[in-house]
Amino acid sequence: MADALPDSRQVRRMEQLFVRFRQSSLHQEPALTPFVQVFQQHETAEGIRGISQQVFMLESRFNLVYLIFNFIAWVDFYYLWRYTQWFKRHGKSYVAWREAALELEVLANLALSSVAEGLEGSVEQTADARFTAEGLRHPLLPRERAVANDFSFGPGQKIMLLTGANMSGKTTFMRTVGLSVLLVQVGLRPSAKGVTLGDFYLFTSMRNADNLAESVSSFYAEMARIRTLIERLAAGDRMFFLMDEIMKGTNTEDRIMGSTALIEQLGEGHCQGIISTHDIELSGLAERLSYVVNYSFHSEVRERTIDFDYRLKPGPCPSFNAKKLMELMGVRIGGGRA
């Protein structure tokens, strides 16, 4: 029976939560009605006091004074009897108290996180499998450094093909979208002015790594992730996917062929998402596939620097910076002297 008892720390936290909840005005909130029904019962107060006493005596058993008294009077049997009586009366209810306390503590921490991070964006729920945002910024970047972007799909659009120069912000933007979806799905407000969130599962294929122990290459790992997405869509799941630098582990010809086939296949499923790529040839898919839309991040190449504004812009990327970046890193392009 002792294994079923919580430790003193857990009991103290439950008592504090119980007392503060009853003394506050939170019980007047309609959303917290299930917790009111649990914590306002007289049995709950009596039962929590009783479990507190049982845990205190259980943890006192290794006290020298207790050991002496137990040797003389067999106190263990008395407290075993008391716990048995408590368990008969409150054992089944205790599970509900514990679950309610844990859930209320999670909600309280989520609320505190929203306040601490200044998350005040509005959230609109929709039955569609889509995600749109206004003023979306990365939640881990300071406000003064984070660049906010608007994000949405037009009617009939399902796949955003994201192109852009190196370091222009493609991957960071996709992480921003993914983190914002997770924040809203767990109950927090988004790091945006407002979002519209649909009914879907979030799927990511980013930073796929090789595994020497399992003889798995990074390309194989990515394809295994893509297979999971295909299977989920075939099972009827609604998905919102984020795939970074699709099929980058193979040659250019196979990558473009495979990416094209995958985009066409995704167009048949109940999904929306973002695919980033350095293959500008894929941007031509938007001309024949109505559900594909091009967006990009740009850079400005100067004499000794490359500047970025991190703004999401419609259309494919018009220029890239890999050559200039290689030159800045000391690579002699065209056989010239550094």
Side-chain angles (χ1 to χ4, degrees):
M1 288 185 179
D3 292 339
L5 287 173
D7 58 35
S8 58
R9 180 181 59 84
Q10 294 172 325
V11 171
R12 282 196 300 270
R13 294 183 69 174
M14 185 183 297
E15 285 183 304
Q16 293 170 357
L17 191 64
F18 170 72
V19 172
R20 291 180 181 178
F21 183 80
R22 297 193 68 175
Q23 292 177 347
S24 71
S25 60
L26 289 174
H27 58 272
Q28 300 175 2
E29 295 290 335
L32 299 179
T33 299
F35 302 102
V36 174
Q37 295 173 348
V38 173
F39 289 146
Q40 293 292 74
Q41 298 174 7
H42 175 72
E43 179 194 0
T44 306
E46 180 185 354
I48 291 179
R49 284 195 300 268
I51 192 62
S52 178
Q53 296 170 3
Q54 307 307 320
V55 170
F56 172 77
M57 295 310 304
L58 180 65
E59 294 184 349
S60 299
R61 292 181 67 251
F62 300 102
N63 182 285
L64 181 61
V65 175
Y66 182 94
L67 291 174
I68 295 174
F69 273 96
N70 188 48
F71 180 76
I72 297 173
W74 289 9
V75 182
D76 273 353
F77 287 100
Y78 170 69
Y79 284 112
L80 177 61
W81 174 80
R82 284 191 58 180
Y83 174 68
T84 302
Q85 297 304 307
W86 177 91
F87 189 83
K88 287 180 180 179
R89 184 169 183 178
H90 303 292
K92 293 182 178 179
S93 299
Y94 170 72
V95 176
W97 304 338
R98 182 184 60 189
E99 294 299 321
L102 290 174
E103 186 174 352
L104 189 60
E105 188 172 9
V106 169
L107 293 176
N109 280 298
L110 290 176
L112 288 173
S113 297
S114 293
V115 173
E117 297 297 327
L119 302 177
E120 300 176 349
S122 62
V123 177
E124 178 185 350
Q125 301 286 345
T126 177
D128 302 329
R130 63 188 177 94
F131 174 76
T132 64
E134 179 185 1
L136 184 66
R137 59 181 178 81
H138 199 293
L140 301 182
L141 288 176
R143 286 179 178 268
E144 61 274 12
R145 289 183 52 198
V147 177
N149 282 289
D150 295 341
F151 168 75
S152 64
F153 284 100
Q157 295 175 347
K158 301 174 67 174
I159 300 174
M160 175 187 290
L161 202 60
L162 189 60
T163 54
N166 294 287
M167 305 187 301
S168 60
K170 300 187 301 299
T171 301
T172 299
F173 175 73
M174 295 178 71
R175 290 173 179 168
T176 301
V177 172
L179 284 171
S180 298
V181 170
L182 289 177
L183 286 175
V184 174
Q185 287 184 337
V186 301
L188 287 169
R189 291 189 176 274
S191 54
K193 292 181 181 179
V195 303
T196 300
L197 186 70
D199 180 18
F200 57 75
Y201 294 98
L202 178 64
F203 174 90
T204 63
S205 178
M206 306 174 71
R207 298 188 66 181
N208 296 294
D210 59 352
N211 189 318
L212 180 61
E214 298 180 5
S215 299
V216 172
S217 68
S218 58
F219 180 70
Y220 185 90
E222 180 184 8
M223 296 311 300
R225 289 291 296 160
I226 290 175
R227 179 180 62 185
T228 299
L229 174 61
I230 293 173
E231 291 174 348
R232 294 287 298 273
L233 290 173
D237 291 337
R238 290 180 168 186
M239 310 296 292
F240 186 89
F241 56 83
L242 301 170
M243 291 189 280
D244 190 27
E245 296 190 20
I246 185 172
M247 301 188 186
K248 61 184 177 182
T250 188
N251 64 80
T252 303
E253 182 179 353
D254 286 347
R255 182 170 60 248
I256 294 175
M257 178 191 64
S259 299
T260 300
L262 177 61
I263 290 171
E264 292 174 343
Q265 188 171 351
L266 292 176
E268 301 171 358
H270 295 290
C271 61
Q272 278 191 336
I274 306 174
I275 296 176
S276 72
T277 180
H278 283 287
D279 296 314
I280 194 64
E281 295 87 349
L282 293 176
S283 62
L285 291 174
E287 298 177 2
R288 64 179 183 87
L289 301 176
S290 60
Y291 53 83
V292 175
V293 58
N294 285 303
Y295 276 86
S296 57
F297 287 95
H298 300 181
S299 64
E300 186 175 352
V301 179
R302 300 182 184 276
E303 181 64 25
R304 299 297 300 174
T305 61
I306 304 174
D307 297 334
F308 308 95
D309 62 7
Y310 305 114
R311 296 289 182 184
L312 183 66
K313 299 177 177 65
C317 184
S319 61
F320 293 86
N321 62 15
K323 178 180 177 181
K324 184 62 178 180
L325 183 59
M326 287 186 282
E327 289 177 348
L328 292 176
M329 294 298 108
V331 178
R332 297 176 183 176
I333 304 298
R337 294 181 177 273

